[in-house]
Amino acid sequence: MATPNGFRKLVISVMIPLMVASGVSTVPELAFAQATTPDPAQPDTYSTPLKQPEYRQTNRYDKTDIPVQLLGINDLHGGLDTTGTAYIGSHPYPNTGTVGRLAAYLDQAQHQFKRVHHSNNTFRIEAGDMVGAAPADSSLLAHESTMHALRAMKFQIGTLGNHEFDRGLPEFNRILRGRAASASADPLVKNYPNEPTKMKIVVSNVVNRSNGKVPFGYQPYMVRTIKAHGKTAKIGFIGLEIGSLTSITPAKNTANYKILDEAQSIAKYDRILNKQGVKAVVVMAHTAVQTRDGKTTGPVVDILHKLNRIDPKNNVGLYVAAHSHQYANAMVGKTRVVQALFSGRAYDDAQAYVSPKTGKFVDLKAHVYPVLSAKADAKVKSVAQVAAIAKDADKRVGPKVNVIIGKAASSQPITDYHSNTKTMENQIGETVVDGQLYEANKPGGVRADFALTNNGGVRADLTPNAQGQITWGAAMAVQPFGNILQVVEMTGQQIQDALNEQYSNPAFYLQIAGLKYTYTDNPGSQQHYKVLKMYKTDGTPLNLTTKYRVAINDYIHGGGDDFFAFKNTPVVGSIGSDSDVFVQYIKDMAAANHPLTAPKPDRKLYQATGTTITVPAPSVTATK
């Protein structure tokens, strides 16, 4: 039996960065083909703000204007003790993360700001997805442990991400307010202490369908006063939810809400703030962006361009982005945009002055910094109070993660991408999609012809114990992110396009179920191979004009990992989170007395150029 700490390390070790080089999932909107901006004016080359030249001293504004600091995070995803490489710009920082060390670096940055400016004008803010798609030490405790950590880290203002809706917004509001769990809740949750987070939620574009008001008494914006030199000024904070929320979240969890246009919502409340004399505005938005290779792209760019068209005199100086789990630091028009990766691996530190005469930001700078490991920065010690929350959570969930949910045909691991075949197939990836197809086609299910998933969403071997038993923890290590599985409608041509997109970037590829295909070389093209013919598992060829139902996760449905063929395909229905579906599949196979066996990797057949196309042999899987 694995120890709780051993399981935590198993799950956490697979949560590597959402970078182009790694192809990790959970991000439903990553098709960054829109407008671009130049290389950021403030490249991030320093590992801590202590080394940042302009943060180490005051300047001419300090004598007349009011200094303010904005410390931000995004997409914590319950990452209490997660670690992994943080890519900031082109610089990799290994083994970054954990909330204990994040707390320490936030404290360090705030203390530096106070020492330099003699100011307490610091705000700790976050941009959504505090919870959801999380390790067991958060998810099994209904994410209350994460909210405790956020409280201990003194976060003051936040907004909603899509994962705050995973269990319904009322449930998120319960843990935010520190209220008791329902009588039917798991004992782990009922026994966890309740305490309010004390964070204020602002969200401007989520309203009740019934009355048009922001739900649960949250506010669309908030105003805070800052002081210096015997003078005061005000800062406005506007929160923003991702506009595509209803397409990436189970319908039952969003049915009561309308999601309004992002740019129009910012413009509306910027004008209201302006009338109140608030002319320094910060937006915390769960909307995607990334800076890479000298360009900044993503929906945030489009949102800000639209904002500047409809509200050209807007006062948005800082935009703290989220959702795509990428690094970003750039000017988009007149607004500084930042995003600090995910799971507590980085944070952003923006520092500015507000003129007491005009009320506007002057000299606003922002940088993104890694949460360095103890090995990389031994002088910084984890904040004991915050680290203790993670340790306690890990101890509480230990017994549950070792629950037996099924059985494998042997005690040998069903192997992951480290054991890929030449055709980029692996045993556990194909087991996962077999399970997705099986669960979709159960009586009363959504029904699907095929299931496809990106390689980045399948994170580890499935490792049975010596008796061949599969634990809940072992299953969750394979799929720890909790992407939402959707069944979409695609033509045969669109499916072929998606399969071809595998061969434009070797970092990204698909695992497939219910489907086989042949492919060959494609010389003289950036797409190294091309699909020749596609077949169902019984040998029936796919018709390019026929419509099929395909189970995919919300990440690639948004074009993630450059699979643009999936983007905007119509959603037929939702199956649930991929983590839950995989666990249920293992349970169902156990109930049917079908121990899991590694599939034969015969779904992608390479065909040498100029040879006769070989029809893949029919096969039977557990989905039949």
Side-chain angles (χ1 to χ4, degrees), residues 516-518 533 535-539 602-603 605 614-618:
K516 295 186 176 185
Y517 68 89
T518 57
K533 197 76 173 178
Y535 305 85
K536 295 183 178 181
T537 52
D538 64 3
D602 62 354
R603 303 175 189 187
L605 181 63
T614 302
V615 179

Side-chain angles (χ1 to χ4, degrees), residues 358-425:
T358 66
K360 295 186 176 183
F361 281 123
V362 292
D363 195 41
L364 190 153
K365 296 180 175 65
H367 295 284
V368 178
Y369 300 104
V371 175
L372 295 169
S373 68
K375 181 178 180 180
D377 188 359
K379 292 182 179 179
V380 171
K381 307 296 183 184
S382 293
V383 175
Q385 178 190 4
V386 180
I389 293 170
K391 184 176 181 180
D392 171 72
D394 190 61
K395 181 179 179 180
R396 289 173 184 266
V397 303
K400 188 159 188 173
V401 300
N402 293 311
V403 169
I404 304 299
I405 61 170
K407 188 171 178 60
S410 81
S411 61
Q412 295 302 307
I414 300 178
T415 54
D416 67 0
Y417 61 95
H418 290 104
S419 301
N420 275 342
T421 65
K422 292 182 179 180
T423 60
M424 305 306 284
E425 298 176 73

